[in-house]
Amino acid sequence: METLILSKQDVSKLINMKDAIASVEQAYKAYCSDQVIQPPIVSIDDAEHNGEIDIKTCYSKSEALVSIKCASGYWDNPKRYNMPTLLATIILLDGKNGYPLCIMDGSLITSYRTGAAGGLSARLLAKKDSKKVAVIGAGNQARLQIKAISEVVNIESVSVWDTCKEFMNAYKNDISALLNVSVETCGTSKEAVMDADIIVTTTPSRKMLVMNEWVKSGTHIIAIGADMKGKQEIDPKIFCRSKIYVDSVAQCVERGEIQNAIETGDIEISDIYAELGEVLLGNKEARTNESEVTIFDSTGMGIQDNTLAALIYQKALSSNVGTTIKLL
Amino acid sequence: METLILSKQDVSKLINMKDAIASVEQAYKAYCSDQVIQPPIVSIDDAEHNGEIDIKTCYSKSEALVSIKCASGYWDNPKRYNMPTLLATIILLDGKNGYPLCIMDGSLITSYRTGAAGGLSARLLAKKDSKKVAVIGAGNQARLQIKAISEVVNIESVSVWDTCKEFMNAYKNDISALLNVSVETCGTSKEAVMDADIIVTTTPSRKMLVMNEWVKSGTHIIAIGADMKGKQEIDPKIFCRSKIYVDSVAQCVERGEIQNAIETGDIEISDIYAELGEVLLGNKEARTNESEVTIFDSTGMGIQDNTLAALIYQKALSSNVGTTIKLL
């Protein structure tokens, strides 16, 4: 029997944002329908090399597929090794017998499924006439978020803020080229978010970058950056006046943006309104009026890797992409 | 950059028991010298398909290598899929930047490092003149244990018991051919262990197979089978009169044979005498007389996978074994 190997280049031929959004929709529904076994995330903090490693494992009962994703972030890679900061490898096992069906690069899958989560939340939760998007952080995920949101919202303008001017300018160039929108680089995070309909935070920050007073009513906030203990991008006070959605209550309480608002006592776990899958299944409501502030706290789930990896694997088989090896 | 792929056949060319014992010795020492980050084992119980999946992750600080092993046991594989019950895949990452250096079949590495642990314990803990070995269970691991013990003890005879007569006969044939020793198949587990110097238990049992009254003084017991909640092979009473060694206190208390003796109240955690690494480092004593009963409780650690996988990877590089792929 054989195992399919898909390189980053192979995956790049097969992945697109429309598919990724559909895949994350399937993932969130499965998660809220008891179709998923998702053990705790395993994390290794490698302070000596300024890196961290996360292993996300997931069993999809409906598809009988197991995914194990090992994703690492080593922040000195670009300058020390001329290598990307974020690397990831996914093993996809047949859930009926444990056979390794496919081993694939997981970095694009991670970027796309994370972007897609933000886009999906915007489709469900942003005001219908949303036009202005603010992005905090100008890295790779800031690009994917805009790519995903542009699939579901008619963006007219993007305002971006980052601590690094060079990154902001590169971001402006990339996004202007990608979408037919005006992109404004900002001197402060306040300037970026003040007039936004949708705010996306995508930094590795450990302190507040978006204050409560700056957020107008009707805004939808997509909180992406905080995905482990100690990370923070948003003033906890914003949660007090918002309708709170999460990808997973269990994960967000532990490692999402919401951990901070719970720790300060601004909200309790019971103040979380819904997991996004519950909205997709019709068990909970999306936005109900134009004035409420909605927040989507995303930590990234194994089932998102699982469904998108499975889709890429199927597409690879049917379009003959990849290399087969004999592992056993 | 490239990633090395090592198939089961590649690994089989590079692995041997002598190396595996040295590698496990290195692993145990590292574990007891604060050179290892070993997050909790992730387990998925797949009752629907009569299977289980374990993910063992380990960071070796001294080698700056990360191993992620995904091992599965699907008990119906041989008859349903003509596939081995136990499958495993290991990813070896560069611990300085997260790069996937090598992806290799992990089934032989698992078998050998588990066998080697038993052999290493016999070298340290069995009476010097041990000659008779009893093996409970006649599967693959029962073979590897004898292979490892024969590296460190002059075995004269092996007595084996299994619930399946066919397995016992096959075992007798294999072990007689492998080593120049007499092998006796037994009608009961009692018969097998009554006169043994070393007893090895290697079954997936959930009830006692070796009773206290059957174990003579001076015996060394190697408890391999119990490696998850609910498994048991040995009468807890044996622990009351034994000097207890483990691979890892943390793991054995949770999922080793010792869980049962703690649950029944026969012993407390503080009755564990040492981790084997402490003996290897000279911080704790091995056997001190010919009459004490010693038990080694082995659950299998990520660092054992890590050190042996690293050795196989190095040997593959220097002897040009394997296939390289471009993953990134």
Side-chain angles (χ1 to χ4, degrees):
Chain A
M1 284 184 69
E2 287 177 328
T3 300
L4 185 68
I5 303 282
L6 296 176
S7 69
K8 188 170 181 177
Q9 208 187 349
D10 294 330
V11 174
S12 76
K13 290 179 204 158
L14 303 166
I15 204 164
N16 67 64
M17 191 50 86
K18 217 180 270 299
D19 280 357
I21 292 175
S23 171
V24 172
E25 180 163 355
Q26 179 196 340
Y28 284 171
K29 283 181 179 168
Y31 182 70
C32 291
S33 311
D34 193 27
Q35 287 303 310
V36 172
I37 301 174
Q38 210 169 259
I41 299 168
V42 166
S43 294
I44 293 177
D45 193 18
D46 182 11
E48 192 187 337
H49 302 101
N50 195 19
E52 63 189 57
I53 298 171
D54 275 346
I55 291 122
K56 291 188 177 172
T57 306
C58 177
Y59 188 106
S60 161
K61 294 191 221 173
S62 47
E63 307 298 316
L65 280 174
V66 180
S67 59
I68 300 108
K69 183 178 80 173
C70 157
S72 58
Y74 278 81
W75 314 105
D76 303 333
N77 274 4
K79 63 172 193 270
R80 264 200 214 164
Y81 300 101
N82 192 26
M83 217 186 264
T85 300
L86 303 174
L87 299 172
T89 307
I90 297 175
I91 303 181
L92 206 57
L93 304 181
D94 188 328
K96 298 187 293 299
N97 49 44
Y99 191 85
L101 298 168
C102 185
I103 297 168
M104 60 182 101
D105 177 78
S107 52
L108 288 176
I109 289 173
T110 304
S111 300
Y112 272 74
R113 63 83 157 147
T114 307
L120 185 59
S121 83
R123 193 186 86 199
L124 296 166
L125 303 176
K127 280 182 305 179
K128 288 287 154 272
D129 65 345
S130 294
K131 288 180 184 66
K132 297 178 180 180
V133 183
V135 181
I136 303 301
N140 177 52
Q141 191 47 228
R143 287 161 168 80
L144 272 299
Q145 288 291 326
I146 285 294
K147 206 174 155 91
I149 295 167
S150 74
E151 292 278 346
V152 299
V153 166
N154 289 319
I155 303 175
E156 279 183 5
S157 67
V158 174
S159 53
V160 59
W161 175 80
D162 193 290
T163 48
C164 172
K165 239 187 174 167
E166 214 179 310
F167 285 9
M168 266 199 290
N169 290 332
Y171 187 81
K172 179 177 174 157
N173 290 340
D174 289 356
I175 297 300
S176 311
L178 182 73
L179 309 167
N180 188 21
V181 300
S182 75
V183 180
E184 185 196 359
T185 60
C186 301
T188 63
S189 58
K190 180 178 180 182
E191 198 188 315
V193 305
M194 281 296 275
D195 198 32
D197 303 310
I198 297 173
I199 299 171
V200 194
T201 58
T202 66
T203 75
S205 171
R206 290 176 175 263
K207 58 178 206 280
M208 300 180 222
L209 301 173
V210 178
M211 300 309 294
N212 184 28
E213 310 80 69
W214 308 342
V215 177
K216 67 179 188 188
S217 30
T219 303
H220 174 54
I221 301 173
I222 302 172
I224 296 292
D227 61 352
M228 57 183 287
K229 209 108 200 130
K231 288 196 181 173
Q232 178 172 32
E233 300 182 285
I234 291 175
D235 183 353
K237 294 286 176 226
I238 301 178
F239 283 93
C240 303
R241 63 172 176 122
S242 298
K243 202 162 164 189
I244 307 165
Y245 299 82
V246 295
D247 54 5
S248 152
V249 171
Q251 278 193 195
C252 287
V253 164
E254 283 293 315
R255 47 171 69 217
E257 182 65 46
I258 210 169
Q259 63 177 302
N260 305 298
I262 291 170
E263 209 174 289
T264 54
D266 283 301
I267 60 159
E268 292 177 357
I269 297 178
S270 57
D271 291 322
I272 298 172
Y273 174 69
E275 291 178 333
L276 217 57
E278 297 178 280
V279 178
L280 289 162
L281 290 167
N283 301 333
K284 287 284 178 77
E285 283 182 334
R287 169 182 293 271
T288 48
N289 64 62
E290 299 294 281
S291 64
E292 63 189 349
V293 175
T294 51
I295 298 188
F296 172 56
D297 186 7
S298 158
T299 46
M301 292 200 288
I303 187 63
Q304 292 169 256
D305 302 318
N306 192 303
T307 55
L308 188 51
L311 178 71
I312 297 298
Y313 170 60
Q314 288 302 339
K315 285 177 85 170
L317 288 183
S318 62
S319 55
N320 242 331
V321 172
T323 320
T324 52
I325 57 158
K326 212 173 141 28
L327 206 53
L328 288 180
Chain B
M1 286 184 67
E2 287 177 327
T3 301
L4 185 66
I5 303 283
L6 296 176
S7 69
K8 187 170 181 177
Q9 209 187 347
D10 294 330
V11 175
S12 76
K13 289 179 206 158
L14 303 166
I15 204 164
N16 67 63
M17 191 52 85
K18 217 180 270 300
D19 280 357
I21 292 174
S23 170
V24 171
E25 182 163 354
Q26 179 195 342
Y28 284 169
K29 282 180 180 167
Y31 182 69
C32 291
S33 312
D34 192 28
Q35 287 303 311
V36 172
I37 301 175
Q38 209 169 259
I41 300 168
V42 166
S43 295
I44 293 177
D45 193 19
D46 181 11
E48 192 187 337
H49 302 104
N50 195 20
E52 62 189 57
I53 297 170
D54 274 348
I55 291 121
K56 290 187 178 173
T57 306
C58 177
Y59 188 104
S60 161
K61 294 190 221 173
S62 47
E63 308 297 316
L65 281 173
V66 181
S67 59
I68 300 108
K69 182 178 81 173
C70 157
S72 57
Y74 278 82
W75 315 106
D76 304 332
N77 273 4
K79 62 173 194 269
R80 265 201 213 162
Y81 299 101
N82 191 27
M83 215 185 265
T85 300
L86 303 175
L87 299 171
T89 307
I90 296 175
I91 303 181
L92 206 58
L93 304 182
D94 189 327
K96 298 185 295 299
N97 49 42
Y99 191 86
L101 298 168
C102 184
I103 298 169
M104 60 182 100
D105 177 77
S107 52
L108 288 176
I109 289 173
T110 305
S111 299
Y112 272 73
R113 63 84 156 147
T114 307
L120 185 60
S121 83
R123 193 185 87 197
L124 296 167
L125 303 176
K127 278 181 306 181
K128 287 289 155 268
D129 65 344
S130 294
K131 289 180 182 67
K132 296 178 180 180
V133 183
V135 181
I136 304 300
N140 176 53
Q141 191 46 228
R143 287 162 170 78
L144 273 298
Q145 288 291 326
I146 286 293
K147 208 173 153 91
I149 294 168
S150 74
E151 292 279 344
V152 298
V153 166
N154 288 320
I155 304 176
E156 279 183 5
S157 68
V158 174
S159 54
V160 58
W161 175 79
D162 194 292
T163 49
C164 173
K165 241 188 171 160
E166 214 179 311
F167 283 11
M168 267 200 290
N169 290 331
Y171 186 82
K172 178 176 175 157
N173 290 339
D174 288 357
I175 297 301
S176 313
L178 182 72
L179 309 169
N180 189 21
V181 299
S182 76
V183 180
E184 184 197 359
T185 60
C186 300
T188 63
S189 57
K190 181 179 179 181
E191 198 188 319
V193 305
M194 281 296 275
D195 199 31
D197 302 309
I198 297 173
I199 299 172
V200 194
T201 58
T202 66
T203 75
S205 172
R206 288 176 176 264
K207 57 178 206 283
M208 300 178 223
L209 300 174
V210 178
M211 301 309 294
N212 184 29
E213 309 81 66
W214 308 343
V215 177
K216 66 178 186 188
S217 35
T219 302
H220 175 53
I221 301 174
I222 302 172
I224 297 291
D227 61 353
M228 57 183 287
K229 208 108 201 130
K231 288 195 182 173
Q232 178 171 30
E233 300 182 286
I234 291 176
D235 183 352
K237 295 286 176 224
I238 301 178
F239 283 93
C240 302
R241 62 174 177 119
S242 299
K243 203 162 164 191
I244 306 165
Y245 299 82
V246 296
D247 53 5
S248 151
V249 171
Q251 278 193 195
C252 287
V253 164
E254 282 294 315
R255 46 170 70 216
E257 182 66 45
I258 211 169
Q259 65 178 299
N260 305 298
I262 292 170
E263 208 174 289
T264 54
D266 282 300
I267 60 160
E268 292 177 358
I269 296 177
S270 57
D271 292 321
I272 298 171
Y273 173 68
E275 290 178 333
L276 217 56
E278 298 178 278
V279 179
L280 289 162
L281 290 167
N283 300 333
K284 286 287 178 77
E285 284 181 331
R287 170 184 292 272
T288 47
N289 65 61
E290 298 294 278
S291 65
E292 63 189 350
V293 175
T294 51
I295 299 187
F296 172 56
D297 187 7
S298 157
T299 46
M301 293 200 288
I303 186 62
Q304 291 168 257
D305 302 319
N306 192 303
T307 55
L308 188 50
L311 178 72
I312 297 298
Y313 170 61
Q314 288 303 339
K315 286 177 83 169
L317 288 183
S318 63
S319 55
N320 243 331
V321 172
T323 320
T324 51
I325 57 159
K326 211 174 140 30
L327 206 52
L328 288 179

